[in-house]
Amino acid sequence: MVLYDSAMSAGSSSGSSSSSSSKPPPSSLQQDIDGLLAGAGYKVRSSELRQVAQRLERLETAMGNSPADLSQLASDAVHYNPSDLASWVDSLLSEFTQPPCQSEFMMDPVTNQPVVNNGWTTNEPHAPQVHQNISYEQQNLNPQLTVVTAMEEDSGIRLVHMLMTCAECVQRGELSLATSLIDDMQGLLTRVNTGCGIGKVASHFIDALSRRIFQGIGGGGGSILGGSAYENEILYHHFYEACPYLKFAHFTANQAILEAFEGHDCVHVVDFNLMHGLQWPALIQALALRPGGPPLLRLTGIGPPSPDGRDSLREIGLRLAELARSVNVRFAFRGVAASRLEDVKPWMLQVNPKEAVAVNSIMQLHRLLGSDPTRTSPIETVLSWIRSLNPKIMTVVEQEANHNQPGFLDRFSEALYYYSTMFDSLEACTVQPEKALAEIYIQKEIANVVSCEGSARVERHEPLAKWRTRLNGAGFKPLPLGSNAFKQASMLLTLFSAEGYAVEENEGCLTLGWHSRPLIAASAWQAVTDPAAEFPTWDNRQPS
Amino acid sequence: MAGSNEVNLNESKKVVPLNTWVLISNFKLAYNLQRRPDGTFNRDLSEFLDRKVPANINPVDGVFSFDHVDGATGLLNRVYQPSSHNEAQWGIVDLEKPLSKTEIVPVIIFFHGGSFTHSSANSAIYDTFCRRLVNVCQAVVVSVNYRRSPEHRYPCAYDDGWAALKWVKSRTWLQSGKESKVYVYLAGDSSGGNIAHHVAARAAEADVEVLGNILLHPMFGGQIRTESEKRLDGKYFVTLQDRDWYWRAYLPEGEDRDHPACNPFGPRGKSLQGLRFPKSLVVVAGLDLIQDWQLAYVEGLKRSSQDVRLLFLEKATIGFYFLPNNDHFYILMDEIKNFVNPNC
């Protein structure tokens, strides 16, 4: 598979600079980050270098004096966000300066500050550190990575070239040229193996382009874009089975939710897209096994309304209740039927001020990014009421891709990379019909990204760096996912999946990808407490 | 532990800039956590802590990169190229055309360091280094993600290096010059330097042309303890104990450090006399405890009548080339540039 032009459109938003002389000073300089260490993947303020060096020295001494097996301690310790070198060193320091009998890890997972050990004398006062999330703009905002597979057949390369040219024509409004290119590509497809590799992906993109040209961007009609909620659930379930992306999402989110719920007797999970409730049996079972016993668990599942008088939300709820009963977890379910997430009002969730709330969003937030300039953007509205619930944690999983750029050609080429990689990873799956249906699931995403616009285009994926900026700006702060979650995710992969999948740590978040290309990113967040404004939850019955 | 910790920490702090000291000390301590005394390795923790960066098809500071998975071996190679002067070409990689039909564009196959155990082609420090290499030499760099120990012992890394060499040689899009061939150099730091040697030796025996070897404080050793090992043990970030651990993790079980992989010109080594072995640039850091082995390697090449240039940087520590904040770095880059000059 070959790479091609992605920066041709006027006003291209590609993140990389063109020539070094015209670049603005990198954001790292502006925030006093040592630029050379940043190139090595570490964020350390120049003004803090000496302090960090001193702590490294102390850590070395502490490790040298450590009586127990060093690596055993290391295996037990949970590490967070290695890019933040200062806090990583600090967390290890507190690990190694504990008296040997204490196995509790003295880290406040919320603030990521070591809890001050009174027996330890320090030379300098322990200044609270502001953990800024500096986005490494140049590389992360537009990771135009591709993994080139060994399929360098001529026809494959030509197909990709033609796809790009066709997309460019579409962007320029040269529809007749685009149409003849579609014909040529259909012809070329007959000479290429469309059962796998570049042929398969290309055919989906050709379809999507055709749809855009011939049916317009309204998104109506055609089996690939429509489909009932029921059908979508089936496809989602098969996507879940065929590859590890959703399992990783659920697993990682559940781990974080479990930790956030520690010590709470009444907990409430709000799931932004219940589907078949695949995520929750594992959490219910984990809560059942919790030392000290399970809490009362309330689950509020949001999903589209079902036609024909069926209440699929309630059916799922009943099944989960059955499971909870069988493991002695007190459980209550509530379904909230809404066609769009932005139609949900916080009072519908009936959050009790005494319970610990977890908001769980698996690939839902991006759907709120379509903006109608006459209204407040839905994402701001929703993030604001999430904050008002004062959740203990908000777990967010999103596709790690830049599919919401304004320029069509940019979006198209990014999507071609992304979905080619995803299809490559799917090759390893051999189970049918899971694989075939998973492919249809992905096909629908492709069709939406490529052939829809405006409110019809809901697949508005944005990369982690953008979500960080957005969520930080909306009053959330990151809850780093640690090395324990990383390790368990890696184990999950070796158990369930083919070679080639890779979990990576990205400044407190975890990504799952195929080879070196991350495809899905999981992160956890907490609302920044705002003492100035109290948000009583019972009174959120605002007139709609 | 040789010497008191305090003395050692103070020594190393005097010879490197502060940010370099922080970087390498961080690696040292992180690596200490990952190695277990029983010879096993905490790979999960290692992968979690390693800072990685994606490839970038859009040029950054004149270089773009993309990853390629070799279908036959599953090996990942990251290819770095100088960006075209023509902006319209940016974002395009044409896997049909050669690099140039008129000029020679060298291709440097780079094997990252990490004592056979740590790091990857997409580790931030190595991604950054390869990009610098591209700019300095105006060459293409292919960074190889070879299999690591202790999960994969000798000869896996060498086999992967050989596979990468064959892969590079057979890419039409890496050809250049009027004769349309691939002009290959091998390069590597630490264990990568060791791999470069062994791949070059295999290439020489198979009559596959390699134009030059660049070995950056290559990882060699032997059973006896040399003077430099005794003198510098623990003084500048590295201890004999950790060197021993990595050899035990790489060499076949039960083997000692006179195994030819570790000690190519030692008692079990082989002369390269008469072989068309590439010219070598061997860079030795004067504060590296294994320098005696590296100097012995240089002597071994000379005894085999092979062309070798030694660059001895008296005050350099290991890893001096990660950050461009010292004289040694710039001296090194000049040397490499002259070495890879296509007119030589």
Side-chain angles (χ1 to χ4, degrees), chain A residues 147-152 515, chain B residues 67-77 160 163-164 166-168 170-171:
Chain A
V147 180
V148 181
T149 65
M151 302 199 68
E152 294 165 17
H515 287 288
Chain B
D67 289 343
H68 188 293
V69 178
D70 180 349
T73 60
L75 209 60
L76 186 125
N77 295 322
D160 290 350
K166 285 197 297 188
W167 182 82
V168 164
S170 61
R171 297 307 101 184

Side-chain angles (χ1 to χ4, degrees), chain B residues 15-237:
Chain B
V15 294
V16 291
L18 186 56
N19 49 7
T20 301
W21 192 91
V22 165
L23 182 68
I24 304 190
S25 301
N26 157 63
F27 287 152
K28 177 177 78 175
L29 296 182
Y31 293 176
N32 288 353
L33 292 175
Q34 296 161 33
R35 296 188 306 270
R36 298 199 193 96
D38 64 357
T40 60
F41 185 70
N42 193 340
R43 181 61 67 189
D44 280 323
L45 182 60
S46 184
E47 290 301 295
F48 179 80
L49 294 177
D50 189 26
R51 306 291 79 208
K52 298 192 200 292
V53 298
N56 196 341
I57 195 64
N58 290 312
V60 176
D61 291 336
V63 181
F64 70 91
S65 61
F66 61 93
D67 289 343
H68 188 293
V69 178
D70 180 349
T73 60
L75 209 60
L76 186 125
N77 295 322
R78 180 165 285 184
V79 180
Y80 301 83
Q81 288 183 227
S83 55
S84 161
H85 298 298
N86 178 6
E87 264 191 56
Q89 291 286 314
W90 289 2
I92 302 181
V93 164
D94 200 323
L95 297 186
E96 287 179 296
K97 298 206 301 252
L99 294 170
S100 167
K101 290 215 170 89
T102 49
E103 311 286 304
I104 292 177
V105 181
V107 178
I108 305 175
I109 302 180
F110 180 77
F111 302 102
H112 67 80
S115 308
F116 294 103
T117 301
H118 298 279
S119 295
S120 309
N122 59 343
S123 294
I125 44 168
Y126 286 113
D127 185 88
T128 302
F129 182 73
C130 287
R131 286 169 170 275
R132 295 204 175 106
L133 267 185
V134 171
N135 272 329
V136 161
C137 303
Q138 285 303 297
V140 168
V141 173
V142 178
S143 186
V144 181
N145 215 26
Y146 57 89
R147 284 168 295 165
R148 299 163 299 185
S149 55
E151 299 94 327
H152 300 104
R153 294 173 176 269
Y154 165 94
C156 290
Y158 302 156
D159 288 344
D160 290 350
W162 176 247
L165 175 59
K166 285 197 297 188
W167 182 82
V168 164
K169 279 275 187 185
S170 61
R171 297 307 101 184
T172 50
W173 50 274
L174 286 177
Q175 289 172 350
S176 61
K178 301 197 180 78
E179 290 173 47
S180 291
K181 52 181 238 205
V182 185
Y183 291 82
V184 174
Y185 289 77
L186 300 179
D189 67 317
S190 170
S191 53
N194 177 298
I195 296 172
H197 164 80
H198 287 284
V199 173
R202 187 164 169 183
E205 278 167 16
D207 238 356
V208 173
E209 187 187 33
V210 173
L211 295 167
N213 268 9
I214 301 165
L215 271 50
L216 262 179
H217 57 60
M219 186 169 157
F220 293 118
Q223 257 324 93
I224 64 166
R225 301 304 195 188
T226 60
E227 185 273 338
S228 68
E229 283 169 309
K230 290 189 265 199
R231 174 170 48 95
L232 296 170
D233 183 10
K235 291 239 165 54
Y236 298 99
F237 310 112

Side-chain angles (χ1 to χ4, degrees), chain A residues 4-6 160-168 409 412-413 416:
Chain A
Y4 29 68
D5 180 14
S6 63
V160 172
H161 276 303
M162 288 172 75
L163 272 168
M164 293 304 299
T165 311
C166 184
E168 205 183 337
L409 188 55
F412 185 85
S413 69
L416 191 50

